[in-house]
Amino acid sequence: MTSDAVLSMEDITKVYPNGIVANKGVNFSVRTGEIHGLVGENGAGKTTLMQILFGLNQADVGKIFFNGKEIKIDSPHAAIAQGIGMVHQHFMLVPSLTVSENLVLGLEPRRGFIFDKSRGIHITQELSKKYNLKVEPDMLVRDLPVGLKQKVEILKALYRGAKILILDEPTAVLTPQEMVELFNELRQLRDEGNTIIFISHKLAEVKALCNRVTVMRAGKSQGVFNVEDVTEEDISRIMVGRDVILRVEKDVAQPKESVLKVNRLTVVNSFNKRVVDDISFSLRRGEILGVAGVEGNGQRELVEAITGFGSYGLGSILIDGEDIKQLSIKEIRDLGCSHIPEDRMSYGCAPTLSVRMNLLSYKHNRREFNRRFFLMHMSTIRDVSTELVKEYQILCTSTEQEVRCMSGGNIQKVIVAREFSDNPKLIVANQPTRGIDVGATEFIRKRLVELRDRGAAVLLVSADLNEVMELSDSFLVMYGGKINAFIEDVSNFNEEKLGQYMLGLKSQDVDEIGRALHD
Amino acid sequence: MNRFYAIPIFILASVAMFFAGCRGKTEAGTDDDGVLKIVNLINGTRGDKSFFDSSAAGMDLIEAKYDSAVLTKTIEMSYDQPNWEPTLLDIADQDWDIIIVGTWQMTEMLEEVARDNPDKRFIIYDTEVDYSLDLGNVYSILYSQNEASFVAGALATALTKSNLPLTNPDKLIGFLGGMDIPVINDFLVGYVEGARYVDPDIKIAVSYIGSFDDTAKGKEMALAQYSQGVDIGFNVAGQAGLGQLDAAKDMHRYAIGVDSDQAEFFVQTDKATADLIATSVLKHVDKSLLRAIDMHMEGKAPYGSSEILGFDEEGVGIAKNEFYMAIVPEEIRELVDEIEEKIRSGEIEVSSAFGMDSEAINELRYSISP
Amino acid sequence: MNAVFEIVLNPLFAFSVLRVSTPILFAALGALISDKAGVINIALEGIMLISALAGVIFSAISGSAFFGLFMALFFGGLVAFGLGYVSLKLKTDVILAGIAINLIASGGTVFVLFLLTGDKGISSSLASKLLPKIDIPILKSIPILGPILSGHNILTYFAFISVFLVWFLLYRTPLGLRIRAVGENEHAVDSVGISVVKTRFIALIISGVMAGFGGAYMTMGYISWFSRDMTAGRGFIALAAESMGGATPLGSMLSSLLFGFFDALSNSLQLLKIPYEFVSMLPYVATVVGLVIYTTQKTKRMHRMRIKAESKKEVL
Amino acid sequence: MTKAQWRFEFYRTGVVIITAVLLSLLIIVLVSDMPGLAIKLFLTGPLDSLRHFGNLVEMVVPLLFTGLATTVMFTASQFNLGAEGAFFFGAIGAAFIAVNWNLPPVLHPAVAIVWGGIIGSVFCGIPGALKVKWGSSELVSSLMFNYIAFFLGLYLINYLLRDVTAGAMVSFPFANSSKLVKIIPKTRIHTGLFIAVFTVLVMGVFTYRTRWGYRIRVLGTNIEFARYSGINTTWTIVMSQVLGGFLAGMGGSIELLGMYRRFEWQTLPGYGWTGIIVAILAHNNPFYVPLAALFLAYMKIGSDIMSRSTDMPNEFVAIIQGMIIILISASSFLSKQRHKMIVREAIS
């Protein structure tokens, strides 16, 4: 424990009910008036550590000191009382309430028994002015763009008197421009004497913003460093434990005939909004087409339409020349389309079933897995899954282990093993490496390129710009449901311009975008 | 076998072994001779203030009269139908001299049990067994409820036509049955004929609750009747019929009770209700059971046959208690006595619903519906 | 058909609709509050049953109807607290816990009744008290409206007042804000330091107290004693009414009244030449149909909006 | 589940059962004037004579069917509580065939049981269909359907099958050819037991060894994943409930043809509700359904026998059953012990 630490956590150990050890003997401390980076791979235990600090989780072992005194934080309430505030990765807002209602929730201004709405609005305006974070108090939160939601979250913490502000991967959902704005706001807060803990796994951001950084790996702290004294490469090495080449070696694509043709596709969501607006492109065998863009600009709906998950109103989608509008998910899959869903826990697996049963999934109807008398061929299922586990280096105790007891990267590998092992014609990969460790990421990216070389068509949707630029042969930028730009050659493109496309500040003309059709 | 199975089996086995050593005699196994052991199986519960309470009261009458010469017990089997047959079989195995059951639902079970236990005596009330099956040890008690209902129908009609404060000018009376079954319809047939005896143009609102224990539904239906102009209603629905008495209190109208003297039950707890119960059609299950035991003691019980108990045998009757006296004007009381006499003498013959098919009953219902 | 109109147009019929709807309305409001907090309370049935018995027992012991009511509410809240404890603390699935409580209530009330009175069927040997009926002075003398609206049990009036109170609670108080927030995104509530568990506990207890009103009404207004399983599915119907009413206080009231209408109709229709089994089925069929119509309308509305939006853009 | 988790679940179930039995004993001691006799009868009654043992088995048979019915619906995460109505209404269907048709012995009950199953499947299937078509909660509508099944059933009995010579609302007696044969003298155990045991095996294999069972399990754990896997979720949701209804309807038919002379239920018999407890106790595993059914039947029969000869009412069993549901499904009951076990394993 350093003497100048305002807050320190000592020897924190946390084991989750499913047996995963998230933190093991972690020490962590921050000083007043610094921005302290907390970096590590996904699954390194950063979020868990901060949840313990904020009272959302309780440590099995360990102590927390505040200004040198030991404190117990058994609930967010206790954390807030100590002046700790947290902005979560997934926003903790109530969509159907207004900004001001969300802001004052729990500390509502009252008039007698009655909730005083106008005071709530007043408070919001005051705070907004004071910290220079502009929000509309009357707007419903569900109508806000992510950047604004984040501001509401920060205001929420400040309204509760937070002096120590934890931000959990705040930049994941922001555009480069929004990010710059956020960084300026954070610096201003720091200069006013607040302490900020900034969780990230993007080293450039940490380098740009933080004073000190704590690096975590596999649930353990790897040490604290002054940001000035270390390079990104140093941190990366400590974080991963080895030098990682995130660059995927690949040859120039040899595109062949087109597999997927999307023509004037339009999707309207249940809130009556055109989330995919008249887009057209085509995807050829042997190429990887990236879809970049800030999340929520229609990528999800595009993927849902192609994979049969969602319906669409106008336009057509052809796979190998066949219109899939009337086809079920199963029939689309039978055309040779495989799909890596963006949210692996919600769509990609059955958490309480075994690895074996998860590897089976859409293949359960196949003749090879079924015998006479309607029975399934259990021994074949076992053998095939054992092989896949080996081939894809999935870490599990046995193929009978429940998936929910595995780490994110391994679950993703289960999904990838299932989807890639089928010699697919078309792969729709939506955020294929989100939130998994470097090893698994590298593995999956390599596999994607391999499949491309074997003649598969890959549609890669990713919010990770690096991933899109690294893997794609060409890519689209989506903004507001439209294709805003089509970049045919990834190798010579500048990021500045890309950011402008992503934010809709600029767009290519119709002809340029039209090239995506390869007609 | 999975170990999951082990614990419960282990528990069962060890418990069974523990108790195997100390199995005692069953409760009725006291073997002193001379004591007549009587058990009454109720396929419902006490507290209905009518049928089953009357049956249970029969045991009290017997005990009061014979004191230590008898040992009686009433077992409530509840409305849990699957439990009835096992109970009857268990009881038949035990050391009881006379086993009493009631209602039609017990008939077929009893026929088998009686055949398998020729040394035991059985009494069944409110129905009869099939004597072609050679059941010399079963005595069946039937009640001419149609005759007593006839009187009730006449009384109700006379009351609705009278100028009593709580009546209205509509010539409309009510009948609230438990279920659309012969025993209940037997009441209805008598009631209708009695009503028509007094006034051929009388209209009767008939509803069935569809249950013998849903008092809330009973009350709702009675309220519906009362709100359509019924000023006196007759409930024949066991416990569910109590709802009608509550409705009568709410609406301030008259009611006629059934099986037991229902006004008596309310004297203590709820006088306001009792005040509105003009009379009750009594089905003296209690007295008929005492009578059967009397005959048994004298060795004259007619096992192997059935009897229909009417006014003469005090099998049925009309409650003429203080409330009856208070509510019913004298000329109507005289009319009631007169009709009762005519039934006894056979001058009035009342039809029975037994053997009538659904069509005939429907026709009767439609003919009097308002 | 004329006969049906005659029945329906009788003011006494409307009176009985209000009376029959009362316990369902209470329970539906209970269902609403817990639903808003994100908990399905299918224990309403059992809670009503327990409260109903508590009302009878304690009003008989104390001789005061209002003490009986108080204890009915107390037990309603207590059982709901129990439900909260097992579902929020012991993490039992709330539906299974509800089933369990219904089971315990069904057997337990008979058990307690038997211990107290020796009867398993009905509590009529307890001299329980009734809550008063209220005649509304001026309204009473207005034709048609008077007979419909005046002379109800005090709880019937309170049930309809509760619709407003529940609306006020949910939409105008800090607690209501929290209850709605907790139902929509519990993490949001958690992250600002409000205890999710505590908020749900409070919502459940209020829900239980509402069901307690319904139970008390059953034995101290609707009829004047307790009999086994007397709630006869009203708690379940209330759940249906709440979801049919689109999870709003007013909607819950309207659908409770609809159910009450069919229930009252089923009691009166018997007097016509319709088999009683059919008539008894009516309220349940109406509930299912109502539920389906509500959900159909919802999906249709969304579908229509969608088509409209797509075509509008096309024209432009 | 891993071995450790199974082991834990197994101990936990044991603890719950022992707690339940101890709680029953406590209630008896507190309430009864003759606790010794009451406890003895409660615990050993079902085994103290062949007939009582028969009662036990007789009760297990319908519970196997309703338990399996609920198991298959719960496995698909469909909270359909309609087994009760399907059981009742299936029995009505079987009664219709048993009374009106004339068929040779083995065929007659077989046809009646299948017909009863079909009728039952309609009743559980409708809430399922309403759910997939319009999204109305199957929980609420299946509860309503229980009442509808009850009244509609009574109507059919009253107007189509009613024996006017009988003194209660019952059907005509069944044709002798339609009844299930009694197999053990002095008991009412009938051939339905074989069908029940066979059905347990079939359902076990169905759930864990066929592609339909696989679809139901996937659907039950994660509906989105099921959709993603190309499973027709609409169809599977409906089918799981149709199948559940079929099992419950079969159970009703078998119960009726094995145990009764005519249709004489005036209330819902309650096996469907107990079936829910069976399913919970069996952790939705068909192979454990017999154990759960046996345990619950044991408690019920024990308490029935006890209440016949003592002053203890048998209703307290409902309290105990409720406690069992809560404790078994309380995932954090004993969770501290569980967590300790896991922490120990993880750290070591």
Side-chain angles (χ1 to χ4, degrees), chain A residues 54 56 76-77 80 88 91-97 101 105-106 108 110 113-115 156 160 268 270 272 274 311 313-314, chain C residues 168 171-175 177-178 180-181 184-185 187-194 302 305-306 308-314:
Chain A
F54 191 59
L56 286 168
H77 191 73
I80 291 167
H88 302 264
F91 295 139
M92 306 269 181
L93 297 170
V94 186
S96 75
L97 300 186
E101 282 171 332
L105 185 67
E108 304 86 353
R110 298 160 192 244
F113 285 119
I114 304 167
F115 167 53
K156 250 170 80 180
R160 282 164 183 75
V268 176
S270 50
N272 201 8
R274 292 167 77 101
S311 62
L314 299 166
Chain C
F168 189 83
Y171 296 97
R172 285 291 176 272
T173 66
L175 179 62
L177 190 70
R178 292 172 185 196
R180 285 186 296 142
E184 207 173 331
N185 183 358
H187 302 295
V189 175
D190 207 9
S191 73
V192 295
I194 309 172
M302 270 155 73
M305 268 166 53
R306 202 170 172 146
K308 222 162 137 190
E310 278 165 2
S311 58
K312 209 189 319 180
K313 264 288 171 70
E314 185 63 8

Side-chain angles (χ1 to χ4, degrees), chain A residues 5-162:
Chain A
V6 58
L7 181 91
S8 67
M9 301 173 79
E10 291 190 357
D11 195 27
I12 301 291
T13 296
K14 168 74 190 174
V15 182
Y16 279 112
N18 59 9
I20 292 171
V21 185
N23 288 151
K24 207 166 176 182
V26 176
N27 292 318
F28 177 78
S29 71
V30 291
R31 300 177 187 150
T32 314
E34 70 167 343
I35 299 182
H36 191 110
L38 180 59
V39 300
E41 285 296 322
N42 271 294
K46 308 175 302 260
T47 302
T48 302
L49 187 67
M50 287 303 109
Q51 284 179 340
I52 291 169
L53 182 55
F54 191 59
L56 286 168
N57 254 316
Q58 271 68 53
D60 294 304
V61 186
K63 293 171 178 169
I64 301 172
F65 296 90
F66 188 75
N67 285 331
K69 265 196 303 191
E70 187 180 347
I71 51 166
K72 283 258 170 292
I73 300 180
D74 52 2
S75 70
H77 191 73
I80 291 167
Q82 300 288 350
I84 302 170
M86 184 162 179
V87 175
H88 302 264
Q89 196 174 356
H90 304 285
F91 295 139
M92 306 269 181
L93 297 170
V94 186
S96 75
L97 300 186
T98 65
V99 168
S100 68
E101 282 171 332
N102 265 290
L103 192 77
V104 300
L105 185 67
L107 285 171
E108 304 86 353
R110 298 160 192 244
R111 210 172 43 217
F113 285 119
I114 304 167
F115 167 53
D116 192 340
K117 246 183 186 164
S118 55
R119 276 254 317 278
I121 291 169
H122 187 70
I123 289 169
T124 311
Q125 286 163 338
E126 296 266 289
L127 273 176
S128 170
K129 213 176 294 166
K130 179 171 170 199
Y131 293 103
N132 200 19
L133 292 161
K134 292 206 170 50
V135 290
E136 279 294 324
D138 276 335
M139 292 263 286
L140 291 183
V141 161
R142 65 161 174 248
D143 297 334
L144 296 182
V146 275
L148 277 181
K149 282 184 187 163
Q150 194 166 52
K151 286 185 189 170
V152 178
E153 282 279 33
I154 296 172
L155 282 175
K156 250 170 80 180
L158 295 172
Y159 175 54
R160 282 164 183 75

Side-chain angles (χ1 to χ4, degrees), chain A residues 15 17 19 309 329-330 333 339 345-349 352 357 361-362 364-365 370 374 376 402 418-419, chain D residues 1 5 205 208-212 214-215 217-218 221-222 224-225 227-231 339 342-343 346:
Chain A
V15 182
F309 250 79
I329 294 175
K330 181 171 179 297
R333 277 187 169 283
H339 174 197
M345 293 318 276
S346 311
Y347 294 89
C349 70
T352 54
M357 292 295 126
S361 180
Y362 66 96
H364 73 276
N365 276 322
N370 286 281
F374 316 115
M376 296 215 284
E402 279 181 42
R418 184 179 64 218
E419 300 295 324
Chain D
M1 276 196 253
Q5 280 171 311
V205 170
Y208 295 108
R209 290 282 182 276
T210 71
R211 48 183 181 274
W212 301 293
Y214 177 74
R215 287 177 201 155
R217 280 190 297 147
V218 170
T221 21
N222 184 350
E224 288 303 338
F225 177 61
R227 232 154 77 74
Y228 164 89
S229 300
I231 292 169
H339 190 66
I342 290 166
V343 171

Side-chain angles (χ1 to χ4, degrees), chain A residues 45-321:
Chain A
K46 308 175 302 260
T47 302
T48 302
L49 187 67
M50 287 303 109
Q51 284 179 340
I52 291 169
L53 182 55
F54 191 59
L56 286 168
N57 254 316
Q58 271 68 53
D60 294 304
V61 186
K63 293 171 178 169
I64 301 172
F65 296 90
F66 188 75
N67 285 331
K69 265 196 303 191
E70 187 180 347
I71 51 166
K72 283 258 170 292
I73 300 180
D74 52 2
S75 70
H77 191 73
I80 291 167
Q82 300 288 350
I84 302 170
M86 184 162 179
V87 175
H88 302 264
Q89 196 174 356
H90 304 285
F91 295 139
M92 306 269 181
L93 297 170
V94 186
S96 75
L97 300 186
T98 65
V99 168
S100 68
E101 282 171 332
N102 265 290
L103 192 77
V104 300
L105 185 67
L107 285 171
E108 304 86 353
R110 298 160 192 244
R111 210 172 43 217
F113 285 119
I114 304 167
F115 167 53
D116 192 340
K117 246 183 186 164
S118 55
R119 276 254 317 278
I121 291 169
H122 187 70
I123 289 169
T124 311
Q125 286 163 338
E126 296 266 289
L127 273 176
S128 170
K129 213 176 294 166
K130 179 171 170 199
Y131 293 103
N132 200 19
L133 292 161
K134 292 206 170 50
V135 290
E136 279 294 324
D138 276 335
M139 292 263 286
L140 291 183
V141 161
R142 65 161 174 248
D143 297 334
L144 296 182
V146 275
L148 277 181
K149 282 184 187 163
Q150 194 166 52
K151 286 185 189 170
V152 178
E153 282 279 33
I154 296 172
L155 282 175
K156 250 170 80 180
L158 295 172
Y159 175 54
R160 282 164 183 75
K163 286 277 156 202
I164 299 173
L165 200 56
I166 308 166
L167 292 121
D168 191 357
E169 306 213 6
T171 56
V173 290
L174 300 182
T175 59
Q177 277 78 1
E178 282 173 327
M179 213 161 79
V180 170
E181 203 182 326
L182 173 72
F183 282 9
N184 286 332
E185 287 157 0
L186 291 181
R187 287 193 190 100
Q188 190 192 337
L189 284 171
R190 174 192 59 193
D191 296 344
E192 285 163 10
N194 296 296
T195 305
I196 291 164
I197 301 173
F198 182 84
I199 307 180
S200 180
H201 55 195
K202 292 182 185 154
L203 305 183
E205 294 172 5
V206 172
K207 194 80 179 130
L209 183 69
C210 300
N211 304 87
R212 294 195 307 159
V213 57
T214 298
V215 185
M216 285 188 76
R217 184 172 82 213
K220 293 178 191 162
S221 166
Q222 304 295 320
V224 190
F225 309 93
N226 281 322
V227 170
E228 295 146 23
D229 306 344
V230 284
T231 62
E232 282 179 45
E233 286 71 27
D234 294 337
I235 301 177
S236 164
R237 221 177 3 259
I238 300 162
M239 221 165 95
V240 187
R242 64 190 157 100
D243 292 310
V244 193
I245 310 146
L246 279 179
R247 192 157 282 281
V248 181
E249 303 296 331
K250 58 169 187 171
D251 302 328
V252 178
Q254 311 283 328
K256 301 191 178 65
E257 77 277 10
S258 111
V259 174
L260 172 73
K261 243 187 155 74
V262 174
N263 208 344
R264 307 207 65 179
L265 181 73
T266 297
V267 179
V268 176
N269 73 0
S270 50
F271 293 110
N272 201 8
K273 204 174 144 195
R274 292 167 77 101
V275 279
V276 174
D277 198 352
D278 194 18
I279 72 174
S280 307
F281 66 91
S282 81
L283 168 62
R284 296 166 296 178
R285 270 162 59 88
E287 76 168 346
I288 298 177
L289 176 67
V291 177
V294 178
E295 261 183 280
N297 277 292
Q299 300 97 316
R300 172 185 301 168
E301 289 80 5
L302 173 65
V303 167
E304 283 179 353
I306 295 171
T307 53
F309 250 79
S311 62
Y312 53 94
L314 299 166
S316 65
I317 299 172
L318 306 179
I319 295 179
D320 258 1

Side-chain angles (χ1 to χ4, degrees), chain A residues 484-517:
Chain A
N484 220 12
F486 173 63
I487 286 87
E488 199 154 17
D489 185 8
V490 176
S491 48
N492 55 11
F493 195 74
N494 96 29
E495 283 194 34
E496 191 68 24
K497 216 168 172 191
L498 182 57
Q500 289 174 336
Y501 285 137
M502 283 169 73
L503 281 175
L505 299 174
K506 263 191 168 179
S507 67
Q508 291 178 342
D509 60 38
V510 181
D511 288 342
E512 273 179 296
I513 294 169
R515 287 175 301 137
L517 262 176

Side-chain angles (χ1 to χ4, degrees), chain B residues 160-180:
Chain B
T160 194
K161 291 176 69 179
S162 72
N163 297 321
L164 286 180
L166 302 185
T167 60
N168 57 28
D170 292 354
K171 284 200 286 186
L172 181 64
I173 58 176
F175 179 90
L176 185 65
M179 279 190 176
D180 188 1

